Amino acid sequence: MELVNGRYQIQGVDLLSVCKDHGTPLYVYDADKIGQQVERLRNAFEGVNLRIKYATKALTNINILKLMRKYGTEVDTVSIQEVKLALHCGFTPEEILYTPNCVSFDEIKMAVDLGVMINIDNIHILEQFGEFYGNSVPCCIRVNPHLTAGGNAKIQVGHIGSKFGISVFQMRHVRKVVENFGIDVVGLHMHSGSDFLQSEVFLMAAEVLFNEAQHFPDLKFLDMGSGFKVAYKEGDITTNIEEIGREMSKVFKKFCKEYGRDLELWFEPGKFLVSEAGYFCVSTNVVKHSPAAVFAGVDSGLNHLIRPMMYGSYHDIVNISNPSGTQRVYDVVGYICETDTFGQDRKLNEVRAGDVLVMKNAGAYGFSMTSNYNSRFRPAEVLIYKGQAHLIRRREVFEDLLATQVEVL
Ligand SMILES: *Cc1c(COP(=O)(O)O)cnc(C)c1O
């Protein structure tokens, strides 16, 4: 988003006009930004056999999935429904990794029937998998290296108390199960939580995976998950993807030499690919002065963007209706009957009723975490693609609230 002659634009498209055309609350995505992030990742890992598996749960609109396909990524999915969405968008089963947690074996069987790669993160499921399929279906094993990394307790999934992955301390047991049933393990995976900051932590985790890999002679790939952090505010520390790429490529090539074969290196970025491409646009309903604060109350809430309330995440907020207004301090809050503060003590250009405020970094875990709480409609979504605004999800209507309800009284 850039300010040109007093108007905010994305790819030359006037954002305020898009909001006028489609109404608010509205999610707007910049396709170019997504393409640039894919390129950055690819360039950072030049020289290794890289596969980018977009973590679809970050943003599942089918047009975003199709865009990813155009940009040459594959996908990582966490539910059978995400698998089906990916197939719907033209991904082949070979391009889809299915990384569920605590799902029933029935759902795993469904995924096998659809032909996708299964990532197993539980010894009991591994046993069932071996009993049922023997060596006939290749699979991947999710290892928990127990390294703590991550911006927030809820997204730290690598620590010892985490429910994710099979503990690195249980790998001897895993190998026994694999041998017993002759399971065809073609990949090892780890995903230690979002927001990896230092390349050292990443490399330490990789080291753990390299060690385990020695015990699995038929590997085709190692999957290092994700956790690439993006900047939320000015001066934020971000993952230095170029540095991680350089360092990782070096140790990965060395590992392949020792292993005796060139493996593929997989990553599963969600946030890194789509976060900065997303803008969440809301309209100011009221400006309310109280003794302690001035509230800008907007036509949205935790039903449309829950990250600030759930993770305490920071989203930069811009008043695009009044770019040259005097700056004042506001609490930007929603209309839901719980405390739903998008941003506290934010310096914004003077906010007047009707002004459109834009929250940045809203591409990942924004729309995909929306709900109908308070019986509000979900927002519409617009994709800016090749300099044109396309509506990619219509706003809900009253009938949508009734669609799944069975009226018996
Ligand atoms: C959520 C998730 C990701 C993506 O994480 P980001 O922080 O959005 O990059 C990758 N892999 C797995 C298994 C996940 O569950």
Side-chain angles (χ1 to χ4, degrees), residues 55 57 76 99 142 191 194 226-227 268-271 365:
K57 74 176 188 288
D76 178 47
T99 305
R142 179 172 186 173
H191 170 65
S194 287
S226 177
E268 305 161 345
K271 196 185 288 172
Y365 311 103

Side-chain angles (χ1 to χ4, degrees), residues 10-27:
I10 297 171
Q11 291 179 34
V13 177
D14 187 75
L15 191 52
L16 211 46
S17 308
V18 173
C19 293
K20 242 181 219 128
D21 291 347
H22 298 284
T24 58
L26 184 72
Y27 274 97

Side-chain angles (χ1 to χ4, degrees), residues 95-143:
E95 293 169 327
I96 303 172
L97 175 66
Y98 170 61
T99 305
N101 175 255
C102 292
V103 302
S104 70
F105 190 61
D106 283 343
E107 188 169 315
I108 295 205
K109 282 196 284 195
M110 276 188 242
V112 171
D113 289 343
L114 293 172
V116 304
M117 174 67 66
I118 316 290
N119 195 354
I120 296 178
D121 94 328
N122 170 335
I123 290 183
H124 184 57
I125 291 283
L126 185 67
E127 284 168 342
Q128 286 173 279
F129 194 87
E131 245 165 59
F132 203 83
Y133 297 111
N135 67 354
S136 65
V137 178
C139 70
C140 174
I141 290 177
R142 179 172 186 173
V143 182

Side-chain angles (χ1 to χ4, degrees), residues 53-58 76-78 97 99-100 119 142 155 157 164 189-191 193-196 223-229 267-274 364-365:
K53 304 263 169 183
Y54 166 55
T56 58
K57 74 176 188 288
D76 178 47
T77 59
V78 293
L97 175 66
T99 305
N119 195 354
R142 179 172 186 173
I155 49 176
V157 297
F164 296 98
H189 165 276
M190 64 164 199
H191 170 65
S194 287
D195 294 3
F196 258 123
D223 182 340
M224 300 288 177
S226 177
F228 304 131
K229 191 176 161 63
F267 284 104
E268 305 161 345
K271 196 185 288 172
F272 181 79
L273 297 185
V274 296
Y365 311 103

